[in-house]
Amino acid sequence: KQWYQRRVAITAGNDPQIKWPNALTIDHPNKNLYWMDAGVKSIECMRYDGSARYTISNKDSALGFPWRMRVFQDRVYWRERDGEVKSANKFTGNQFVTERVVSALGEKLAVGMGLRIYHPVIQPESTPRCRPDLCQKLCLPIPNGYQCACPTGHSLLPDNFNCAYKMENFAFVATKEMIVKTALEPLEPVLQPIMFKENKYMEGTFWSVDFHENWVYYNTISENISQISIRRMLFDGSDSKVVVNEKSDGGLSIDWLNEKIYWSSFETVSVGELDGSVHTTLLQKEGFDFRDILVDPCNGYIYLAALGRGIYRCSMDGDISSFVEIVRLGEDSMPSGLTLDRDIGALFFANMNSIYKLKLKLKLRDSPPVPEPIINRPERVNINSLDVWGRDWIIWTENYNISATDYKKEKSTDCDSALIPLL
């Protein structure tokens, strides 16, 4: 049942008074919404439904760059980006004052970004709509009562009271302290820890998943970087164990059809049984640094990302005669994040702050193509890994966030992405 209604009160469009609205607050007693626009230097007000809108002030000299805003009694307060706190009459916009902000000892406070008003009238007494016994997990107040809700990865049962675990689509992510998973449908900023790392391990860097047996494979580095190994664990974080106890500082990829694990390490590509009982070196290329690997057992190919070079392909038996360059990126390149979209027959990969898509039905030639990026992120961003999900979504990690966008299989440099913070 739909228990809420949502509507747009104001749309920027051709409205000259909406340019950069960046401070917002509610006047509960009068049921008004106030906002400030740093672009047009104005303070405006309207009713909850968007009616009775009027401009309180548009004095350029008084408004700098408002950052936070609050209303109390007959005044509106805001904090400028430089740390100053100012106020004005909330009805007329007159009587501008720069407030003196000091500590309890009378000392001037350092610049900050937040602003809160403390007074009992701000949080008036009323009858709560929720009680601990109303819902198994979360009770949320709504205009006509309450609504039970569930944590991410759980769904509300038909009794509208109990929750059941259900996380069918999720992503695994490694932070410095733990391994977590997050729901992809819906994409929410809630991380569920599944294993806290032992002190002797630093963060896992490369991953591969066996969905048939519910194993997650990842490599780990000891604190003194003296040993790099491949480990695996079940989806719930249990039964963690070492699979391959030898040098493996590149990518990992699972051949789910033939039950093999492939990994890269500088100049070499290796393969072994999923339990690590038997393994061997398939390919060795002097002068190469294979930072990532992806296997395509449906077609019998391995794809490799080589640092300072580009993307390469060879057969899954490592036959050197099948080793070919399919994308040339240059000496400064740092390709990673190889992933396949089998529905459209395309290979995706990252190079520093950009994501590329390459059609696999290409004719091999002497000069491999340099594809145009479909997503460009700011220069300060470093894309570490990526994957495709569903029919249109591509998900990646950048700096300390998980990002996702609907790439629609077209070039998109203006990336409208959802961000999930990891720290």
Side-chain angles (χ1 to χ4, degrees):
K1 181 180 179 179
Q2 192 79 2
W3 51 266
Y4 65 89
Q5 294 180 341
R6 183 175 65 178
R7 63 184 294 270
V8 177
I10 292 180
T11 303
N14 298 321
D15 190 335
Q17 288 299 111
I18 300 293
K19 186 176 180 181
W20 194 348
N22 58 340
L24 185 73
T25 192
I26 291 177
D27 182 359
H28 290 284
N30 298 298
K31 298 183 178 180
N32 285 330
L33 179 71
Y34 287 78
W35 73 93
M36 291 184 169
D37 195 303
V40 296
K41 307 293 184 184
S42 67
I43 305 174
E44 293 196 65
C45 174
M46 69 178 182
R47 305 291 290 174
Y48 287 172
D49 61 2
S51 64
R53 175 183 171 186
Y54 67 97
T55 299
I56 297 172
S57 176
N58 55 4
K59 297 179 180 179
D60 291 353
S61 60
L63 285 174
F65 196 100
W67 197 257
R68 293 291 185 269
M69 182 182 187
R70 291 292 181 268
V71 169
F72 182 63
Q73 295 180 342
D74 62 349
R75 298 193 66 80
V76 55
Y77 297 82
W78 69 94
R79 185 150 199 161
E80 298 282 356
R81 191 163 60 177
D82 63 5
E84 283 192 333
V85 175
K86 297 181 178 181
S87 70
N89 186 286
K90 73 177 184 182
F91 302 108
T92 66
N94 296 326
Q95 303 170 331
F96 273 91
V97 175
T98 298
E99 304 287 345
R100 184 170 179 264
V101 183
V102 297
S103 70
L105 299 176
E107 300 171 343
K108 186 177 180 180
L109 296 180
V111 173
M113 305 304 288
L115 177 64
R116 288 290 185 273
I117 294 174
Y118 174 77
H119 194 280
V121 75
I122 299 295
Q123 296 181 348
E125 293 293 329
S126 184
T127 302
R129 300 184 180 183
C130 283
R131 300 194 315 266
D133 60 327
L134 292 178
C135 301
Q136 183 192 26
K137 296 295 184 180
L138 297 172
C139 179
L140 306 177
I142 58 176
N144 59 350
Y146 70 92
Q147 172 73 35
C148 293
C150 300
T152 298
H154 295 72
S155 59
L156 191 63
L157 294 177
D159 61 9
N160 290 322
F161 174 85
N162 290 294
C163 298
Y165 181 81
K166 185 181 181 182
M167 190 185 286
E168 296 178 349
N169 299 306
F170 53 87
F172 289 100
V173 184
T175 70
K176 291 183 178 180
E177 294 81 20
M178 58 185 152
I179 297 170
V180 301
K181 63 181 178 181
T182 182
L184 295 178
E185 191 176 15
L187 187 64
E188 296 181 351
V190 178
L191 302 176
Q192 176 185 340
I194 59 174
M195 187 181 76
F196 288 88
K197 297 177 185 177
E198 302 172 34
N199 292 331
K200 63 181 179 179
Y201 295 114
M202 293 173 63
E203 65 180 292
T205 53
F206 292 93
W207 297 76
S208 195
V209 179
D210 180 1
F211 287 101
H212 296 274
E213 301 296 331
N214 292 340
W215 287 106
V216 180
Y217 293 79
Y218 60 101
N219 59 6
T220 58
I221 308 173
S222 62
E223 289 184 346
N224 57 9
I225 319 182
S226 61
Q227 182 178 348
I228 304 172
S229 59
I230 299 175
R231 300 175 68 91
R232 73 177 183 181
M233 65 178 177
L234 292 173
F235 279 10
D236 61 1
S238 64
D239 203 14
S240 175
K241 62 182 69 174
V242 174
V243 175
V244 179
N245 198 10
E246 66 173 38
K247 191 174 183 180
S248 171
D249 58 350
L252 305 176
S253 190
I254 297 296
D255 174 2
W256 66 93
L257 294 179
N258 304 291
E259 299 183 346
K260 300 289 188 294
I261 180 172
Y262 288 72
W263 66 93
S264 61
S265 180
F266 287 107
E267 300 177 343
T268 63
V269 175
S270 304
V271 64
E273 299 292 340
L274 289 178
D275 61 2
S277 58
V278 179
H279 52 84
T280 186
T281 298
L282 283 181
L283 177 69
Q284 184 163 357
K285 289 286 291 183
E286 185 176 352
F288 280 70
D289 186 354
F290 296 123
R291 305 309 300 159
D292 201 7
I293 183 173
L294 174 70
V295 297
D296 179 12
C298 298
N299 296 293
Y301 287 118
I302 300 173
Y303 295 93
L304 296 160
L307 185 68
R309 293 178 180 268
I311 310 299
Y312 295 79
R313 188 185 74 184
C314 70
S315 60
M316 290 182 67
D317 63 352
D319 182 6
I320 193 64
S321 65
S322 67
F323 185 83
V324 294
E325 182 184 34
I326 61 174
V327 177
R328 185 170 297 169
L329 295 175
E331 295 180 357
D332 298 327
S333 64
M334 300 174 63
S336 63
L338 296 171
T339 190
L340 280 175
D341 185 334
R342 293 179 175 81
D343 292 337
I344 63 173
L347 176 72
F348 290 80
F349 62 92
N351 182 27
M352 292 181 285
N353 65 321
S354 299
I355 296 177
Y356 297 79
K357 180 178 71 173
L358 178 71
K359 284 287 187 180
L360 292 180
K361 292 183 179 180
L362 74 165
K363 294 181 180 179
L364 298 179
R365 43 193 155 183
D366 294 336
S367 298
V370 180
E372 290 291 323
I374 61 169
I375 294 173
N376 279 323
R377 301 296 285 151
E379 291 186 3
R380 66 182 184 278
V381 168
N382 183 38
I383 298 175
N384 311 111
S385 59
L386 61 93
D387 209 340
V388 290
W389 172 58
R391 297 187 60 85
D392 298 316
W393 283 87
I394 186 166
I395 302 170
W396 67 92
T397 58
E398 57 176 56
N399 297 355
Y400 295 106
N401 296 299
I402 308 172
S403 300
T405 189
D406 185 351
Y407 63 88
K408 298 185 185 302
K409 308 174 182 62
E410 298 176 359
K411 182 177 179 180
S412 172
T413 55
D414 183 15
C415 174
D416 181 15
S417 65
L419 294 177
I420 299 179
L422 296 179
L423 292 180

